[in-house]
Amino acid sequence: MEQLAADQPGYRGITSTRGLDGLGITISYWADEAAAIAWRGHAEHTAIREQGRANWYDSYEVIVTRVERHYGWTRT
């Protein structure tokens, strides 16, 4: 799915992490709301989401938010 998402117009990146307890958080970044909605409606994404609901997940949560600013620092 990550490569399929990366091939979509408006895709800006993804960050994902999973804890030892299995809790995972994935953040995908899109240029605008229209691009994010298009991804949500993509046929292959829809199919894998339905497979996840049927086979893998007991629950999940989607939060839609706007990033106004982002920066970081790394010691060299």
Side-chain angles (χ1 to χ4, degrees), residues 8 12 31-32 34 36 60 74:
Q8 304 310 303
R12 295 294 184 255
D32 53 34
Y60 65 83
T74 303

Side-chain angles (χ1 to χ4, degrees), residues 5 8-12 28-42:
Q8 304 310 303
Y11 175 82
R12 295 294 184 255
S28 63
Y29 300 94
W30 299 89
D32 53 34
E33 185 175 11
I37 289 170
W39 171 240
R40 182 185 67 197
H42 189 283

Side-chain angles (χ1 to χ4, degrees), residues 28-75:
S28 63
Y29 300 94
W30 299 89
D32 53 34
E33 185 175 11
I37 289 170
W39 171 240
R40 182 185 67 197
H42 189 283
E44 288 180 65
H45 183 222
T46 299
I48 200 73
R49 185 173 58 243
E50 291 304 320
Q51 187 176 357
R53 288 175 177 169
N55 300 313
W56 305 319
Y57 300 120
D58 292 326
S59 67
Y60 65 83
E61 184 176 6
V62 175
I63 300 170
V64 178
T65 188
R66 188 175 314 271
V67 176
E68 297 295 333
R69 179 176 32 251
H70 172 254
Y71 59 90
W73 178 85
T74 303
R75 183 179 308 276

